[in-house]
Amino acid sequence: MRPLPSVKLILPLALAAALAGCQTKTPAPKPNGAALPTMERVALGANACWFKSGDPAFKAYRLAPELNSFSGRPRILVVHRNSPESRPLLVVQAEGNPAKLDAFGPLMSEPVGARIATDVRRWAAGGKGC
């Protein structure tokens, strides 16, 4: 007949196994929701996905980021490629903490407007990719 294992060995193992099942996973960290970090994410996404990728929907335009805003509203502008001093065709700006986003301009009324809104929301929330 074999000797029974010591209670001193079984109890800690059983307790550890029980506690391991009750622990929750650490949630993924949320991105900083203030206006400037939010607009930095949006600017990086827009630059990579709309302009650097050669997307035909944005071929006639260029990005003009204005993130250093003393008004507390960092923003990005989309302007005509050959006329950057002209009126912006798209303005995306954020204000406050958590950031309140706003996108407006003639491009929002174009077929690409829905895509712009979807992309901006995704990048603002910390999403990556195009």
Side-chain angles (χ1 to χ4, degrees), residues 50 55 57-58 61 89 105-119:
W50 296 345
D55 187 325
F58 293 92
Y61 312 114
L89 299 164
L107 280 180
M108 293 303 290
S109 300
E110 298 291 324
V112 75
R115 179 176 153 212
I116 290 170
T118 300
D119 287 346

Side-chain angles (χ1 to χ4, degrees), residues 60-79:
Y61 312 114
R62 69 191 286 194
L63 183 66
E66 294 183 351
L67 300 176
N68 295 332
S69 169
F70 296 107
S71 69
R73 283 189 210 117
R75 64 188 188 167
I76 62 169
L77 309 175
V78 174
V79 296

Side-chain angles (χ1 to χ4, degrees), residues 41-122:
R41 288 190 300 276
V42 171
L44 289 171
N47 190 41
C49 295
W50 296 345
F51 299 98
K52 297 244 177 180
S53 70
D55 187 325
F58 293 92
K59 200 162 194 74
Y61 312 114
R62 69 191 286 194
L63 183 66
E66 294 183 351
L67 300 176
N68 295 332
S69 169
F70 296 107
S71 69
R73 283 189 210 117
R75 64 188 188 167
I76 62 169
L77 309 175
V78 174
V79 296
H80 285 285
R81 174 175 290 289
N82 298 325
S83 181
E85 72 284 349
S86 64
R87 184 172 284 187
L89 299 164
L90 173 68
V91 177
V92 180
Q93 66 184 16
E95 182 176 19
N97 189 2
K100 178 184 170 279
L101 281 169
D102 197 14
F104 54 91
L107 280 180
M108 293 303 290
S109 300
E110 298 291 324
V112 75
R115 179 176 153 212
I116 290 170
T118 300
D119 287 346
V120 167
R121 278 193 297 269
R122 182 178 63 252

